[in-house]
Amino acid sequence: MEYRKLGESGLELSTITYGAFAIGGTLWGGNEKQDSINAIHASLDNGVTSLDTAPFYGLGRSEELIGEAIKGKSRDKIQLLNKFGLVWDGSNKGKGEFFFNAEDNGATYPIYKFNSKANIIKEVEESLSRLGTDYIDLLQVHWPDATTPIEETMLAMDDLIKQGKIRAAGVCNYDAAQLTEAAKTIKLASNQVSYSMLNRVIEKDVVPYVLENNMGIIAYSPMERGLLTGKYFKEAKLKENDHRNGYFGQFGVEKVKALLDAIEPIAVAKNASLSQLVLRWTSLQPGITVVLAGARNAAQAIDNAKAMDINLTDAELQFITAQVSKI
């Protein structure tokens, strides 16, 4: 495993970081508790020291699972990356900016983006309780909220740093203009954004900004929620209530299959899976500090962690990038 410094925060994270969206179950067709805990343990046992979650993931369940999985382990050896600002409970209903309706266990929850100071303080206390800890290593704005001034959100996180409840502040899904506005109030450690072989939009504006301002990028959905594993072109099937039934439709699946067919020989030659090759390529792109990889069982977690064992020559890296550029 490689470990990389996140901007100027002082945090050092495992380049493959465990992404805990799927184990929450919401939008992912449910989850198996013990499999999820086993996945976290397998990640930690194979050098993945950083775990990324959010209150929205399973409406608190993802955080609770992480809290249970790390109980009794050395807290200073684990980095907890968390978020705030996707609101679903009744006390905040209707506040903020409406996002979408989420289905969870047969019920519908209107989800709002809400980054007010009062809500941040409330969410952090709830997250600390679920995680069973007294501090969060990196607290991140989950999504921009048009109803709350960025300055108010950043000042709230600055207060939490001073209180020792968080070690560093980050954002998610911010564009370069929003990063510039936030920088007037606080030094951000990172921006967590969607990035993959099929989605390289951030290379235009966000990557140049973070490189110039010494920030980190945490890349989420590097495998496009499993599409780039290749298994959905074979035997794997999705549950009916899995959001990926619609999500995969945005991509030209024939082009995706052609890409995977072109790069698979490199994976085979290195005795690696397509997933591992995709993760390793992503980790080597300019500006990318950390790559999030979800796992719903121990085998997937080990496979993800071992991606960093792959060595790619310059020629191999250039070949893969050339194939990616055809998408």
Side-chain angles (χ1 to χ4, degrees):
M1 183 58 61
E2 292 180 6
Y3 302 90
R4 298 177 180 174
K5 294 186 183 301
L6 192 68
E8 298 175 2
S9 67
L11 294 177
E12 191 169 74
L13 309 182
S14 52
T15 302
I16 300 297
T17 287
Y18 183 81
F21 187 6
I23 65 169
T26 303
L27 304 179
W28 290 85
N31 77 310
E32 295 294 334
K33 177 180 177 179
Q34 194 56 53
D35 283 347
S36 300
I37 291 175
N38 291 344
I40 297 167
H41 286 166
S43 296
L44 295 171
D45 290 343
N46 285 274
V48 174
T49 60
S50 310
L51 312 173
D52 180 271
T53 187
F56 170 68
Y57 299 164
L59 311 186
R61 285 192 295 276
S62 175
E63 291 175 310
E64 290 169 352
L65 285 168
I66 288 176
E68 185 172 341
I70 67 172
K71 188 175 182 180
K73 297 185 179 296
S74 298
R75 177 66 181 84
D76 61 345
K77 304 296 185 185
I78 297 169
Q79 302 84 47
L80 295 179
L81 286 53
N82 209 352
K83 308 179 189 76
F84 64 83
L86 289 190
V87 173
W88 71 88
D89 63 47
S91 63
N92 282 321
K93 186 176 181 181
K95 296 180 181 178
E97 178 185 358
F98 178 74
F99 196 12
F100 67 101
N101 287 314
E103 300 290 332
D104 184 77
N105 287 335
T108 300
Y109 296 85
I111 306 298
Y112 289 81
K113 295 181 281 189
F114 188 40
N115 298 331
S116 74
K117 178 178 180 179
N119 186 59
I120 295 167
I121 293 169
K122 171 181 177 290
E123 286 201 51
V124 166
E125 291 303 322
E126 292 170 346
S127 291
L128 291 172
S129 176
R130 294 187 195 109
L131 291 165
T133 187
D134 57 1
Y135 71 95
I136 292 165
D137 295 275
L138 178 69
L139 183 68
Q140 305 159 93
V141 180
H142 206 152
W143 282 88
D145 162 26
T147 71
T148 303
I150 287 176
E151 181 183 21
E152 176 182 341
T153 304
M154 298 303 128
L155 285 171
M157 289 203 287
D158 191 46
D159 285 346
L160 289 167
I161 291 174
K162 292 172 181 175
Q163 294 168 21
K165 292 189 176 181
I166 68 174
R167 292 180 61 194
V171 295
C172 304
N173 305 299
Y174 267 39
D175 60 26
Q178 290 163 330
L179 292 171
T180 300
E181 181 65 26
K184 296 176 182 177
T185 306
I186 195 172
K187 177 61 180 178
L188 292 171
S190 58
N191 188 15
Q192 183 176 143
V193 284
S194 178
Y195 182 71
S196 75
M197 290 178 168
L198 309 182
N199 175 14
R200 302 168 67 189
V201 175
I202 64 166
E203 292 178 1
K204 181 179 179 181
D205 296 317
V206 172
V207 170
Y209 180 94
V210 302
L211 289 173
E212 183 177 346
N213 290 276
N214 197 19
M215 291 175 58
I217 288 180
I218 299 173
Y220 73 81
S221 293
M223 293 188 289
E224 290 299 353
R225 310 189 189 189
L227 182 61
L228 289 173
T229 65
K231 64 184 181 181
Y232 296 104
F233 294 105
K234 299 175 183 176
E235 300 299 323
K237 301 295 181 183
L238 297 171
K239 293 183 179 179
E240 186 177 342
N241 60 341
D242 193 313
H243 76 287
R244 291 175 294 175
N245 285 299
Y247 182 83
F248 289 167
Q250 69 184 290
F251 304 108
V253 292
E254 289 305 316
K255 287 186 177 181
V256 175
K257 187 176 186 305
L259 166 64
L260 297 179
D261 287 344
I263 67 174
E264 188 168 24
I266 297 177
V268 171
K270 296 181 182 295
N271 196 29
S273 65
L274 267 173
S275 301
Q276 291 172 326
L277 186 65
V278 169
L279 291 174
R280 189 59 172 137
W281 176 89
T282 307
S283 77
L284 293 170
Q285 299 312 295
I288 304 301
T289 309
V290 164
V291 181
L292 295 186
R296 303 182 75 165
N297 56 55
Q300 291 175 355
I302 294 169
D303 191 73
N304 291 342
K306 297 298 183 184
M308 295 306 294
D309 293 343
I310 299 174
N311 292 314
L312 292 174
T313 66
D314 289 344
E316 289 168 336
L317 195 58
Q318 290 168 11
F319 174 81
I320 294 171
T321 302
Q323 301 307 309
V324 168
S325 297
K326 295 178 181 179
I327 295 293

